[in-house]
């Protein structure tokens, strides 16, 4: 029989090695996979995207900005540029470089793949919002144009990604919201709707998500100074640095504000057992299958909800909805806004009725 | 003409495109929402309810009690313990009756019959000792507990109590990334894993359902309880003074079952953070009103739907297993049976895991049904050790009446306390039986997830038994 100490040490060593190699995201195997995927083609495609992005924003791309965006050295960036040039995807004039029509087509195709894939992640998978961008970034290079078209068809040919960025059409044309402005430039006390939250840089996007902001929300700027912006959105007051707010695009709302969107209510979690409330809206952050599920259960604007009981563990709470007792988790109930004062809700109801 | 019409078509498309930007992001949902809302409004106007019917006070009071922070969990544990106790103690009598009928009466009768009509020994062995015995064993061990457990479980379900269990436990399952209803499929798994896997249909969220299916095998099923109880009694119970023996061995078995529950949570949590991260996850749980259970209907449906169907599948898988067991014990290559070749081949690996070749071979041939592991182990041990006076010949599975005889036979086979402990662990942590694997495939429709569900527990079993064995030996060497 083998020596137990020896076999223990061997097994421990094997397991450690295995973990070292296969640990999710950080293991050697995954790093190797990523490095393998960072082929010349991927670098070229990312570079095209960067140049396209700069052109849209009216900035001049440079070797330095390219190196920064792709996380490579300036030397490598120069290699990429000369390779792009030899493929006639860009034209070089002095130190400036511009996309050729072919290059622009190519860049838009990659952007299309990226945004459609993000849309797919949002609608049909359970990945967390902050992961969409990185995942789509990995997949945009692997999807063939046919894959992209199939995916687009399945998703009902969406016109923008889940952050509100427009998806270029298959023919390369890209529409965008007219009259949209950055949140910084919105006049004070004007009602506007968030239509786009840029998902790059990721750190800023994560902060905006953490603030509870999302597209479709109505905002009103209360205070604007070079140091900070104070505004109302989703029934809460938010304070953001202008550099963060610049990543939010809004369009002013003309005409009557749609009351149901403004969510004057409070989250369902604020209720005490026995209280009666009326539902106002389900947050857009509940999407896809989960949203349909809640609607199937009869959770609709105007539905009366009553807190029935708490579970022994305290977390799912059971609500009486249209005569049935349905348990919902806190994370869900937080995203359902309700209006506790039945009178006010009644007014709302009347208004809706009149609108018809 | 054509130029004009194509130009106007382009116009229309362009208008449509720009309109899509105007209607806003989620107009599909808005539309759906307003249709639903209108429908609800119309229904409200048209339907008159004869007075608001208050919820029965009985329901409300009962709900307050069974979901209260103080009483919720104790009531739940108590009820489940009663169900298990009724199952295990109630199944003993019919099980031994069935065993007496199938193994002690019909088997000799069939043997006689075969001898009388002059059946060749190999055909008689293959058909009666192999196929018939395996089937008889599976039925007598499996049928009674299932016929008791499933109706009891269904009664609780029908009454409306089980959704409250899911409601209470959801908090724990949520932390593991799973669904509260997994508590129900897991409990069902204590009866039979195949039925537990089918029961995951109540979970409507794709990710949580996959988690429940893959981890169901960690619920110690009916087919494995007898193994656990026998080994615990033989090897662990005897360590304690005689009047504590029962208690100690029972604690050991319960410990293994609890370890299974712990692993269910750990594996669920691991899966939901790694491979299953991208699966869609939704949650909602309806708590139906309580209603008096329809006893006869419940018994009928649970016997037909759950017990008989599962039993039928098990029998279908057990018959070929019986044939294989008999064949490997009787076909010889260079004067040694295939079984012995296999055992010798697997023995070094088995010993490394604190088990032995016999156990590994028994677990391989008993993939179709966990019930025949112990009979196969005993038969193979006799085959290998050449012990005389016990058993009924090569390839004939048996169990011994007296536990001391069984113990001494196993000790002849080189069993120690370590072997026993590791067998109990391996019985919890090995691949699901073929009925369950087949059910998993049918429920998930994916060969990949079936493979994960089948292989992950074996790998965990190898790892756990290996470490237990080596650390055990290390400590033993130091003492």
């Amino acid at each position: 029989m083998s020596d137990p100490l020896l076999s223990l040490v061997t097994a421990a060593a094997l397991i450690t090695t295995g973990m070292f190699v296969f640990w999710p995201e950080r293991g050697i195997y995954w790093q190797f996979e990523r490095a393998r995927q960072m082929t010349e083609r991927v670098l070229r495609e990312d570079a095209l995207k960067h140049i396209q992005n700069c052109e849209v924003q009216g900035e001049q791309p440079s070797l330095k900005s390219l190196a920064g965006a792709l996380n490579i050295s300036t030397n490598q960036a120069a290699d990429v540029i000369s390779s792009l040039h030899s493929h006639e995807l860009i034209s070089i004039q002095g130190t400036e470089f511009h996309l050729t029509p072919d290059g622009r087509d190519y860049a838009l195709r990659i952007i299309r793949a990226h945004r459609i894939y993000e849309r797919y992640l949002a609608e049909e998978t359970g990945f967390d919002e902050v992961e969409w961008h990185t995942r789509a970034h990995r997949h945009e290079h692997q999807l063939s144009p046919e894959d992209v078209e199939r995916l687009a068809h399945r998703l009902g040919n969406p016109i923008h990604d889940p952050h509100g960025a427009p998806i270029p059409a298959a023919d390369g044309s890209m529409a965008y919201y007219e009259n949209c402005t950055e949140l910084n430039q919105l006049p004070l006390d004007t009602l506007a709707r968030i239509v786009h939250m840029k998902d790059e840089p990721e750190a800023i996007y994560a902060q905006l998500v953490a603030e509870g902001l999302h597209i479709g929300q109505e905002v009103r700027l209360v205070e604007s100074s070079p140091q900070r912006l104070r505004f109302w959105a989703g029934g809460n007051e938010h304070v953001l640095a202008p550099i963060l707010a610049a990543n939010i695009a809004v369009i002013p709302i003309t005409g009557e504000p749609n009351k149901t969107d403004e969510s004057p209510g409070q989250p369902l979690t604020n209720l005490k057992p026995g209280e009666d409330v009326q539902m106002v809206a389900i947050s857009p952050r509940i999407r896809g299958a989960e949203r349909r599920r809640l609607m199937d259960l009869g959770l609709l604007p105007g539905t009366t909800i009553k807190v029935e009981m708490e579970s022994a563990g305290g977390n799912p709470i059971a609500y009486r909805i249209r005569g049935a007792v349905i348990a919902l988790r806190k994370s869900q109930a937080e995203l359902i806004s309700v209006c506790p004062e039945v009178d006010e809700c009644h007014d709302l109801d009347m208004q809706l009725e009149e609108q018809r | 003409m054509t130029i004009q019409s194509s130009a106007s078509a382009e116009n229309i498309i362009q208008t449509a495109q720009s309109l899509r930007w105007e209607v806003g992001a989620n107009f599909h949902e808005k539309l759906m929402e307003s249709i639903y809302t209108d429908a609800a409004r119309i229904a409200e106007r048209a339907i008159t309810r004869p007075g608001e019917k208050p919820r029965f006070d009985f329901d409300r009071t009962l709900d307050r009690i069974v979901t209260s922070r103080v009483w919720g969990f104790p009531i739940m544990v108590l009820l489940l313990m009663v169900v298990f106790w009724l199952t295990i103690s109630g199944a003993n009598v019919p099980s031994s009756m069935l065993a007496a009928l199938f193994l002690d009466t019909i088997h000799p009768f069939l043997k006689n019959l075969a001898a009388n009509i002059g059946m060749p020994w190999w055909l008689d062995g293959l058909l009666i000792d192999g196929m018939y015995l395996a089937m008889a064993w599976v039925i007598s061990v499996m049928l009674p507990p299932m016929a008791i457990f499933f109706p009891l479980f269904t009664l609780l379900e029908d009454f409306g109590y089980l959704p409250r269990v899911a409601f209470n436990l959801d908090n724990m399952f949520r932390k593991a990334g799973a669904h509260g209803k997994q508590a129900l499929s897991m409990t069902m798994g204590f009866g039979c894993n195949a039925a537990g896997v089918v029961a995951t249909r109540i979970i409507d969220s794709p990710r949580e359902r996959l988690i429940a299916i893959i981890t169901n095998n960690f619920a110690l099923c009916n087919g494995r309880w007898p193994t656990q109880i026998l080994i615990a009694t033989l090897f662990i119970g005897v360590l304690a003074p005689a009047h504590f023996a029962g208690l100690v061995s029972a604690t050991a078995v319960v410990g293994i079952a609890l370890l299974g529950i712990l692993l269910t949570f750990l594996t669920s949590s691991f899966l939901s953070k790694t491979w299953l991260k991208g699966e869609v996850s939704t949650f909602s749980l309806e708590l139906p009103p309580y209603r008096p259970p329809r006893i006869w209907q419940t018994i009928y449906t649970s016997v037909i739907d759950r017990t008989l169907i599962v039993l039928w599948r098990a029998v279908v898988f057990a018959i070929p297993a019986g044939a294989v067991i008999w064949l490997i014990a009787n076909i010889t290559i260079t004067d040694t049976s295939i079984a012995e070749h296999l055992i010798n081949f697997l023995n070094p690996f088995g010993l490394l895991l604190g088990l032995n070749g016999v156990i590994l071979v028994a677990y391989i041939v008993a993939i179709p049904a966990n019930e025949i592991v112990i009979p196969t182990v005993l038969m193979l041990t006799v085959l290998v050790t050449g012990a005389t006076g016990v058993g009924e010949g090569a390839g004939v599975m048996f169990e011994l009446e007296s536990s001391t005889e069984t113990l001494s036979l196993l000790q002849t086979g080189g069993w120690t306390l370590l072997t026993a402990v590791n067998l109990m662990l391996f019985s919890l942590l090995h691949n699901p039986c073929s009925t369950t694997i087949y059910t998993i495939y049918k429920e998930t429709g994916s060969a990949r997830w079936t493979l994960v569900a089948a292989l992950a527990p074996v790998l965990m079993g190898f790892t756990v038994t290996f470490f237990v064995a080596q650390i055990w030996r290390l400590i033993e060497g130091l003492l």
Side-chain angles (χ1 to χ4, degrees), chain A residues 122-191:
Chain A
E123 302 286 328
E124 295 192 5
T125 69
F127 289 109
D128 196 61
E129 202 168 338
V130 287
E131 269 184 61
W132 294 342
H133 180 74
T134 3
R135 284 189 178 269
H137 195 71
R138 222 174 304 153
H139 277 89
E140 67 193 10
H141 307 294
Q142 293 157 10
L143 292 169
S144 71
E146 293 80 51
D147 291 339
V148 174
E149 288 329 302
R150 220 172 297 130
L151 206 54
H153 184 72
R154 199 164 103 196
L155 298 169
N157 294 310
I159 49 174
H160 59 74
D161 77 358
H163 315 292
I167 297 174
D171 62 9
S173 66
M174 179 148 75
Y176 196 51
Y177 296 102
E178 294 157 17
N179 69 0
C180 92
T181 58
E182 285 175 8
L183 183 56
N184 310 20
Q185 270 125 43
L186 190 69
L188 287 184
D189 268 334
T190 318
L191 204 58

Side-chain angles (χ1 to χ4, degrees), chain A residues 126 157 308 325 327 332 353, chain B residues 20 45 55 178 278 283 285 287:
Chain A
N157 294 310
E308 194 72 30
V325 181
Q332 295 173 298
E353 203 77 323
Chain B
R20 287 190 74 185
R45 263 186 221 151
R55 214 176 158 211
F283 178 84
L285 171 64
L287 302 174

Side-chain angles (χ1 to χ4, degrees), chain A residues 193-205:
Chain A
R193 181 183 293 118
I194 300 181
V195 290
H196 182 187
M197 277 165 51
K198 291 196 183 111
D199 56 350
E200 266 177 319
E202 272 167 66
I204 291 185
Y205 181 68

Side-chain angles (χ1 to χ4, degrees), chain A residues 4-310:
Chain A
L5 193 61
L6 188 71
S7 38
L8 265 183
V9 170
T10 320
L14 271 176
I15 290 179
T16 326
T17 326
M19 271 163 61
F20 199 60
V21 174
F22 290 108
W23 194 264
E25 303 295 326
R26 274 178 296 167
I28 291 176
Y29 174 77
W30 304 112
Q31 285 187 12
F32 174 75
E33 266 299 278
R34 269 203 295 276
R36 208 172 53 87
Q37 281 172 13
M38 272 304 250
T39 55
E40 216 181 319
R41 183 174 65 92
V42 171
L43 278 179
R44 271 207 308 269
E45 292 179 355
D46 283 346
L48 281 176
K49 263 191 355 180
H50 171 73
I51 300 170
Q52 208 272 341
N53 207 2
C54 288
E55 287 189 356
V56 167
Q57 295 186 348
E59 289 162 11
Q60 182 54 51
S62 67
L63 277 184
K64 233 184 209 159
S65 74
L66 187 63
L70 270 59
N71 206 3
I72 52 176
S73 72
T74 344
N75 275 339
Q76 282 171 299
D79 284 348
V80 174
I81 286 297
S82 64
S83 145
L84 285 177
H85 190 226
S86 67
H87 283 84
E88 291 180 4
L89 295 169
I90 54 170
S91 59
I92 302 183
Q93 286 152 0
T95 56
E96 292 183 5
F97 38 90
H98 299 281
L99 290 173
T100 61
D102 276 356
R104 187 163 298 116
D105 266 5
Y106 196 164
L108 285 173
R109 224 167 57 218
I110 301 299
I111 293 174
R112 177 171 166 83
H114 179 97
R115 294 187 176 162
I116 295 229
Y117 197 75
E118 267 188 349
R119 182 79 178 210
Y120 158 75
L121 289 175
E123 302 286 328
E124 295 192 5
T125 69
F127 289 109
D128 196 61
E129 202 168 338
V130 287
E131 269 184 61
W132 294 342
H133 180 74
T134 3
R135 284 189 178 269
H137 195 71
R138 222 174 304 153
H139 277 89
E140 67 193 10
H141 307 294
Q142 293 157 10
L143 292 169
S144 71
E146 293 80 51
D147 291 339
V148 174
E149 288 329 302
R150 220 172 297 130
L151 206 54
H153 184 72
R154 199 164 103 196
L155 298 169
N157 294 310
I159 49 174
H160 59 74
D161 77 358
H163 315 292
I167 297 174
D171 62 9
S173 66
M174 179 148 75
Y176 196 51
Y177 296 102
E178 294 157 17
N179 69 0
C180 92
T181 58
E182 285 175 8
L183 183 56
N184 310 20
Q185 270 125 43
L186 190 69
L188 287 184
D189 268 334
T190 318
L191 204 58
R193 181 183 293 118
I194 300 181
V195 290
H196 182 187
M197 277 165 51
K198 291 196 183 111
D199 56 350
E200 266 177 319
E202 272 167 66
I204 291 185
Y205 181 68
Q207 275 189 58
L208 298 180
V209 170
E211 276 284 318
L213 298 171
H214 52 78
I215 63 168
Q217 228 169 17
E218 290 181 5
V219 291
R220 202 177 37 190
L221 210 53
V222 186
E223 185 197 321
S224 168
S225 71
Q227 282 77 40
R228 60 178 200 159
L229 289 170
R230 204 151 60 81
F231 60 96
W232 281 90
N236 289 314
E237 201 189 48
H238 301 267
V239 177
L240 282 183
I243 189 166
L244 297 182
N247 274 9
I248 301 175
V250 297
I251 38 176
I253 297 173
T254 47
E256 273 302 292
N258 188 353
K259 272 232 171 183
T260 47
D261 270 4
E262 210 186 355
S263 320
Q266 41 176 308
L268 190 51
T269 35
N270 284 6
L271 300 198
K272 307 268 168 320
E275 266 186 297
D276 256 357
V277 290
Q278 283 204 347
M279 194 199 116
V280 178
I282 303 176
S283 154
R285 284 167 71 188
I286 299 186
R287 33 170 102 231
E290 184 160 24
R291 192 181 188 88
R292 284 197 293 278
R293 176 93 223 160
L294 293 179
M295 281 160 103
D296 287 345
L297 292 173
L299 265 176
L300 303 163
T303 304
T304 308
I305 305 178
K306 184 178 184 180
V307 182
E308 194 72 30
M309 58 192 169
E310 250 184 26

Side-chain angles (χ1 to χ4, degrees), chain A residues 1-5 7-8 11-12 15 24 119 124-127 131 135 156-160 164 166 175-177 215 258 261 284 287-297 300-301 306 308-318 320 322 324-329 332 349 352-353 356, chain B residues 17-18 20-21 24-26 28-30 32-34 36-38 40-41 44-45 55 60 63-64 66-69 72-73 164 166-171 173-174 177-180 204 207-208 270 274 277-288 351-352 463 466-467 469-471 473-474:
Chain A
M1 194 171 301
S2 56
D3 178 24
L5 193 61
S7 38
L8 265 183
I15 290 179
R119 182 79 178 210
E124 295 192 5
T125 69
F127 289 109
E131 269 184 61
R135 284 189 178 269
N157 294 310
I159 49 174
H160 59 74
Y176 196 51
Y177 296 102
I215 63 168
N258 188 353
D261 270 4
R287 33 170 102 231
E290 184 160 24
R291 192 181 188 88
R292 284 197 293 278
R293 176 93 223 160
L294 293 179
M295 281 160 103
D296 287 345
L297 292 173
L300 303 163
K306 184 178 184 180
E308 194 72 30
M309 58 192 169
E310 250 184 26
S311 73
N315 187 338
I317 294 176
R320 175 158 291 268
R322 294 186 190 274
V325 181
I326 311 281
L328 296 176
R329 288 178 175 170
Q332 295 173 298
D349 232 36
L352 285 174
E353 203 77 323
R356 282 192 182 93
Chain B
Q17 279 297 343
S18 64
R20 287 190 74 185
W21 283 95
N26 42 2
H28 278 120
E29 279 163 5
K30 288 250 172 69
M32 193 157 90
E33 208 171 73
S34 67
Y36 271 126
T37 316
D38 279 347
R41 234 180 260 275
E44 220 133 273
R45 263 186 221 151
R55 214 176 158 211
R60 195 177 282 267
D63 265 345
R64 285 283 132 79
V66 299
T67 64
S68 81
R69 277 168 197 254
F73 292 119
R164 270 79 182 171
F167 182 53
N168 280 338
L169 288 177
D170 183 65
N171 203 21
F173 280 97
R174 180 182 55 83
H179 196 294
D204 47 21
R207 170 165 76 195
E208 282 75 358
F270 176 76
T274 52
K277 211 157 123 189
E279 300 290 326
V280 179
S281 155
T282 62
F283 178 84
S284 70
L285 171 64
E286 194 179 344
L287 302 174
L351 289 176
L352 198 65
T463 319
F466 171 82
F467 276 99
Q470 301 306 326
I471 292 171
R473 283 175 192 151
L474 195 65

